[in-house]
Amino acid sequence: MRKMDEMEMSISLNSIKAAYVYTVIFIFVWWIYDFVKTGSNGLPFILLMSQNLVLLGIQLFLKWKLGKDEK
């Protein structure tokens, strides 16, 4: 397996971003529908919040780790 060049890496990252945005929008619409129908926060809300907490946590960790390596 060979390393990706810059163009392939860009295509891959843009695909991942588009898939993430689609997932967030889908779960958000599901949550709104579920909230209107049942009046409570269920599985869609938990998925939406946990997904974004994982994203934020990983971003913070990687920024901290990269900042630590530069010193």
Side-chain angles (χ1 to χ4, degrees), residues 6-65:
E6 289 89 13
M7 185 178 72
E8 290 171 330
M9 182 68 77
S10 176
I11 291 170
S12 178
L13 288 175
N14 285 331
S15 299
I16 291 168
K17 287 177 191 176
Y20 177 78
V21 168
Y22 169 77
T23 303
V24 167
I25 291 170
F26 184 87
I27 294 174
F28 180 75
V29 170
W30 180 22
W31 171 60
I32 294 296
Y33 173 77
D34 196 42
F35 185 75
V36 168
K37 189 173 180 183
T38 65
S40 66
N41 293 324
L43 181 62
F45 181 75
I46 294 168
L47 287 171
L48 190 62
M49 292 302 119
S50 63
Q51 178 180 8
N52 287 305
L53 285 174
V54 168
L55 175 70
L56 181 63
I58 290 173
Q59 284 179 340
L60 289 172
F61 174 73
L62 291 175
K63 287 179 184 178
W64 171 78
K65 186 177 175 185

